[in-house]
Amino acid sequence: MLMAWTLLAAAAMLGLAMLLNVYRLLRGPDTADRILALDTLYVNATGLIVLLGLHTGSTLYFEAALLIAALGFISTVALSKYLLRGDIIE
């Protein structure tokens, strides 16, 4: 019972953090702020999927979270490289 309430509270906090990230993504004053908000959104989405996996007890959600985390890291690196150099592949 305590675990269910804890997971619910953590999911609510992550949901609020995701809403704030979307706000920063849309209203960011700079492109770098928007890239950082997108990176934080990936991290929060990964945490939310891990919480869902803990709630259901399925290991499939952990693999999905790992895949989203890897894609989020690669996209952040690519966007940052594009922002700095104007080209992704040298």
Side-chain angles (χ1 to χ4, degrees):
M1 184 71 174
L2 179 65
M3 181 73 160
W5 283 105
T6 306
L7 289 176
L8 183 65
M13 288 180 210
L14 278 173
L16 178 65
M18 289 178 78
L19 285 175
L20 292 172
N21 285 327
V22 168
Y23 174 76
R24 178 54 58 196
L25 185 65
L26 296 176
R27 300 270 307 173
D30 199 5
T31 307
D33 291 330
R34 290 186 171 128
I35 291 174
L36 188 61
L38 186 64
D39 183 50
T40 311
L41 192 63
Y42 278 120
V43 171
N44 289 337
T46 302
L48 200 58
I49 291 174
V50 166
L51 286 177
L52 183 63
L54 286 173
H55 179 69
T56 61
S58 175
T59 60
L60 183 65
Y61 292 108
F62 300 116
E63 294 174 9
L66 183 63
L67 182 65
I68 287 176
L71 287 175
F73 173 73
I74 291 169
S75 67
T76 301
V77 168
L79 284 171
S80 299
K81 195 171 181 182
Y82 179 74
L83 185 65
L84 286 176
R85 299 183 184 156
D87 192 18
I88 297 173
I89 300 173
E90 297 172 347

